Amino acid sequence: MRVAVISDIHANYHALEAVLREVEREAPDEVWCLGDVVGYGPLPNDCVDRVRALADVCLVGNHDLAALGVLATTDFGLSAAVSARWTAAELGEEQRAWLLGLAPQARRPGAELFHGSPRDPVWEYVLSEEVALLGLTATTEPLVLVGHSHVALAIGWDGERVDGGLAAGGTELELRPGRRLLNPGSVGQPRDGDPRAAWLLLDLAAGRASFRRAPYEIERTQAEIRARRLPDELAARLAHGI
Ligand code: ZN
């Protein structure tokens, strides 16, 4: 089975479209989304509609939950809190109802999916080998997929050694032997210094992973953020991938 994994779209519709054009060319069997479809960005309803129509599995993320009013925004930074309030008012009834039905974790054959981490699917960031190992020991499937940090990551564990780190665009790796924890990176707000939209292509039968980046028209999303008077910082950072 071939699977496209996307995460952290953050209502950036042009980044999502660019990724989905590449995904459609690859014609995978399934599309898995690891959450945070909305929050930060200017087009939450369009992104929900697109993901809802396409994804075989979609998780809910902390920003989705904040926009739904399920999570308080007290742990958010100022621009995240402002955009969560704006998104809450902007979300349509249908989009809201769909997001409310999602869970922050899921299981597919051979893989466990989490928005944050296996230990805390909503909030924990996996950004170190230590936290990755704690997640791998808390799970059993060969493959663990996480989002949330907006940093593409590939960490392997053979039962003794933990190994790996950042997975730049173009990284190709074998999934076997051992187990892997992978983060596809973020579609709509990458934070690893590469502003292109990130996604991950898995070939589970062949045991291969391919980290992809899709260029998109960043200025269009920036203009939409500014037109809605969302915090300017949310537009500026997109150009730098931070
Ligand atoms: Zn996110």
Side-chain angles (χ1 to χ4, degrees), residues 6 40 43 58 93 102-103 123 147 169 175 191 194 201 224 231 235:
I6 59 175
Y40 291 133
L43 292 173
C58 187
E93 270 317 302
L102 306 178
W123 276 114
L175 295 174
R191 294 180 193 161
D194 182 345
L201 183 64
E224 290 161 356

Side-chain angles (χ1 to χ4, degrees), residues 90-146:
E90 182 74 9
L91 268 181
E93 270 317 302
E94 256 183 61
Q95 289 81 7
R96 205 181 153 70
W98 181 73
L99 286 170
L100 270 171
L102 306 178
Q105 63 191 89
R107 191 181 270 265
R108 302 299 278 173
E112 289 177 69
L113 287 56
F114 304 90
H115 177 66
S117 81
R119 297 195 308 166
D120 181 346
V122 174
W123 276 114
E124 188 177 52
Y125 292 91
V126 182
L127 281 165
S128 67
E129 290 183 353
E130 291 73 23
V131 177
L133 180 59
L134 290 168
L136 283 160
T137 52
T139 49
T140 53
E141 295 288 356
L143 195 57
V144 175
L145 299 170
V146 301

Side-chain angles (χ1 to χ4, degrees), residues 8 10 36 62-63 115 148 150:
D8 296 279
H10 285 294
D36 276 0
N62 55 313
H63 285 264
H115 177 66
H148 189 45
H150 300 205

Side-chain angles (χ1 to χ4, degrees), residues 67-110:
L68 293 169
V70 175
L71 266 188
T73 55
T74 37
D75 290 329
F76 276 34
L78 181 61
S79 58
V82 168
S83 72
R85 280 196 292 276
W86 179 86
T87 305
E90 182 74 9
L91 268 181
E93 270 317 302
E94 256 183 61
Q95 289 81 7
R96 205 181 153 70
W98 181 73
L99 286 170
L100 270 171
L102 306 178
Q105 63 191 89
R107 191 181 270 265
R108 302 299 278 173

